[in-house]
Amino acid sequence: KWHVAIALLLLITVSNSTQVDPESVMFPYPPGQHGPPWDHQYLLTLLKGVAPYDIYPASFGNKKLETKRMILSYFGKKLYIHAAILDNPWKYFHIFEPGQYGGCEGSVTRVKVSETALHQSCQVASNAGFFNITDGSCLGNLVSESRIIQNTGLQNANFGIRKDGSIVIGYLSKDIVDNRTNPFMELVAGVVWLVRNGSSFVDISKDLEDMSVQATGNDFVTVQSARTAVGHLRDGRMIIVQVDGKTRVRGVNLYEFADILIDQFDVVSAINLDGGGSSTYAEEGVLVNMPSDQCNDDRRFYCERPVTTITCFR
C-alpha cells in the first residue's frame, strides 16, 4: 500500500511552484518577534534550580537506520506518521542549510527538503528550524558540520550533538553554543521542548518560551496541525518523527504529539521543529509524506513547501 501512496505523491507534487496557504503557516510569536523576550540568565530564575538542558551519550554502534510508516487511530482520529531511528548519530546525523553551504547567510533562498536531501545524499530528511516566511531568513541557533552559523541567544529549545558524541537538548546560553573545548558539530533550535526525561514537558516549556502569554503562542501549542520533531531514545539512538496534517483541519496539537513520542516510540527527550505546511519527510530525496500547501499551477493538488534548514540521516 505504501508504494502506491508514494507513487501518488510523486504524481501530485511534481510542480516546483507552491501556494503557501496562510492557514497552514503557524506563527509561534507575533510578527517581528521570534523567541521569548528574556535572556538565559532570566530563564534560569524561571527554572528555579532545574537544569536548563540535559546531556546524554549518543549510541556508537554500527550504522543502522530504521524507518517506520504508521497509520494509527489515536485521540479519536486517524494519523499518518513517518519516523526514522538512527544508530551512531555522531557520524551520520547532520543539519544542513537550504540547498548548499551558506544557504542561511546573505540572500536566503528557500529550498524543498527533498532537493536539499538529494544534494546532500541523505537517506532520510525532514524540515528543521523555523524561518521568516517573508524573507526566508533562518531563525534560532544553528550549527552545521561544526560551523556556527547563528548563535542568537534566544531561549527556545535546542537539539544538538557535540564533538565528544554527547547529545545536548534544552535551553542554551550563547557561551554554551560557542564552547570551543567540546564544540557542537550539529545544532538546531525549535520551539517547545516536547519530551523531557520520558515525560511530557509541553506545559512547562510553553511558559519558559513565552508561548502562553500571546494568543498566537497558545494557538500554536493547541491547534491541530502537521508536526515534526527530533529527539533521542534511551539507548542513545536518534529519532525524527513527522505527523501529517493541515492546520486547524487535521493532525495533532503539541500535547498529543508529545504523547505519541512517548507511547509509540519511547522517546526520552525531543523538541518540536517547524510544522504546518513546512512539515516534510523524505527518503532518498523523494517526498514521502502528504504536504498541505496547494500547488500554484493546479490548486487541486498539494506541493512540498520550500523551507530552510533540514535534518539529515546519511
Side-chain angles (χ1 to χ4, degrees), residues 38-49:
W38 42 73
D39 60 13
H40 188 73
Q41 197 60 40
Y42 184 77
L43 181 126
L44 293 179
T45 66
L46 297 177
L47 284 165
K48 299 178 180 178

Side-chain angles (χ1 to χ4, degrees), residues 128-167:
F130 288 75
F131 59 91
N132 186 310
I133 197 70
T134 301
D135 62 16
S137 57
C138 305
L139 301 173
N141 294 331
L142 181 61
V143 178
S144 177
E145 298 189 309
S146 302
R147 183 170 61 97
I148 298 176
I149 299 165
Q150 292 185 170
N151 184 0
T152 66
L154 294 175
Q155 295 306 296
N156 292 113
N158 293 259
F159 182 95
I161 190 161
R162 283 174 161 165
K163 186 177 180 180
D164 68 354
S166 58
I167 293 170

Side-chain angles (χ1 to χ4, degrees), residues 12-154:
I12 67 174
T13 58
V14 293
S15 170
N16 286 322
S17 57
T18 307
Q19 178 67 43
V20 176
D21 182 356
E23 287 297 308
S24 70
V25 179
M26 295 190 298
F27 297 105
Y29 298 99
Q33 176 186 337
H34 187 77
W38 42 73
D39 60 13
H40 188 73
Q41 197 60 40
Y42 184 77
L43 181 126
L44 293 179
T45 66
L46 297 177
L47 284 165
K48 299 178 180 178
V50 177
Y53 60 90
D54 296 330
I55 303 174
Y56 294 88
S59 64
F60 278 92
N62 294 325
K63 180 182 180 183
K64 183 180 178 182
L65 178 61
E66 178 184 358
T67 59
K68 296 184 177 184
R69 300 167 189 170
M70 309 164 67
I71 302 176
L72 297 180
S73 293
Y74 224 70
F75 313 111
K77 48 195 172 185
K78 184 178 286 187
L79 300 175
Y80 296 84
I81 302 173
H82 305 86
I85 300 171
L86 179 71
D87 202 357
N88 200 347
W90 179 82
K91 187 173 182 180
Y92 299 110
F93 159 61
H94 299 273
I95 297 292
F96 286 121
E97 298 169 89
Q100 55 189 351
Y101 184 93
C104 278
E105 301 171 284
S107 179
V108 179
T109 300
R110 292 188 289 133
V111 179
K112 294 177 181 179
V113 170
S114 59
E115 293 176 3
T116 302
L118 192 62
H119 176 75
Q120 297 291 356
S121 302
C122 305
Q123 289 192 62
V124 171
S126 76
N127 65 294
F130 288 75
F131 59 91
N132 186 310
I133 197 70
T134 301
D135 62 16
S137 57
C138 305
L139 301 173
N141 294 331
L142 181 61
V143 178
S144 177
E145 298 189 309
S146 302
R147 183 170 61 97
I148 298 176
I149 299 165
Q150 292 185 170
N151 184 0
T152 66
L154 294 175

Side-chain angles (χ1 to χ4, degrees), residues 46 184 221 311:
L46 297 177
F184 280 99
V221 172
T311 61

